[in-house]
Amino acid sequence: MRLEDLRPAKGATRPRKRIGRGRASGTGKTSGKGHKGLLARSGGSSRPGFEGGQMPLYRRLPKRGFLPYGSKTEFALVNVKELAAKFPAGSVVDPDALCQAGLIKKADRHAVKVLGDGVIEHALTIKTHKISDSARQKVEAAGGRVEVLPL
């Protein structure tokens, strides 16, 4: 068998439907779209959630709560044990250094929080936007310093 001899299985393909090519073609005049109505128009289709004029589900269900746009800050989280594993004693840990170490993504540098899971044995200078109380105590107990950056 050669490459040019390959064909789809018998009955697997159909000729394309030529729309709007006269009455004799079977799909002339309205081109298979019927008369008037939303689906007959160009660009015509119903919006997502449209239920044919029935009251849609998103309007029938009760609404609860409120989330103001842009007020919640998502923090990139880093634990003390990760800092102890990646950084040697005496190094400065800031959002850029965390990116280079692969602990956070580059896009998450604007809001970093250090959490207190794990143990730290050596002193580090940590510059972060937020830090938990337990993490602060562990870093300062090991002889390190904490600087809080503005958000």
Side-chain angles (χ1 to χ4, degrees):
M1 176 172 275
R2 297 165 56 124
L3 200 59
E4 60 266 20
D5 294 337
L6 290 176
R7 294 279 178 270
K10 199 78 167 164
T13 61
R14 297 177 162 196
R16 77 181 177 89
K17 198 174 192 180
R18 297 187 73 227
I19 291 176
R21 293 295 186 274
R23 292 172 65 184
S25 70
T27 54
K29 196 183 172 216
T30 55
S31 301
K33 287 175 171 273
H35 291 274
K36 300 185 181 176
L38 189 61
L39 295 176
R41 316 288 184 199
S42 78
S45 63
S46 58
R47 67 179 185 275
F50 183 68
E51 298 182 24
Q54 171 178 304
M55 186 63 67
L57 183 67
Y58 71 89
R59 289 187 62 193
R60 293 196 303 262
L61 295 177
K63 309 296 184 280
R64 290 295 308 263
F66 175 70
L67 279 176
Y69 174 75
S71 69
K72 187 174 181 182
T73 304
E74 293 284 335
F75 285 92
L77 304 176
V78 183
N79 278 305
V80 167
K81 66 181 175 188
E82 296 166 341
L83 299 179
K86 289 275 187 176
F87 295 98
S91 58
V92 176
V93 180
D94 60 352
D96 292 324
L98 291 170
C99 280
Q100 289 174 348
L103 293 175
I104 63 171
K105 293 180 181 174
K106 191 173 181 182
D108 295 336
R109 287 178 304 170
H110 65 281
V112 179
K113 183 170 182 175
V114 178
L115 301 177
D117 185 28
V119 180
I120 186 163
E121 305 285 321
H122 51 273
L124 294 173
T125 301
I126 298 177
K127 297 180 180 181
T128 184
H129 301 100
K130 271 200 174 182
I131 186 164
S132 68
D133 291 334
S134 62
R136 183 185 291 269
Q137 289 169 2
K138 288 179 183 182
V139 169
E140 290 173 351
R145 275 189 16 226
V146 175
E147 291 180 34
V148 178
L149 301 173
L151 275 172

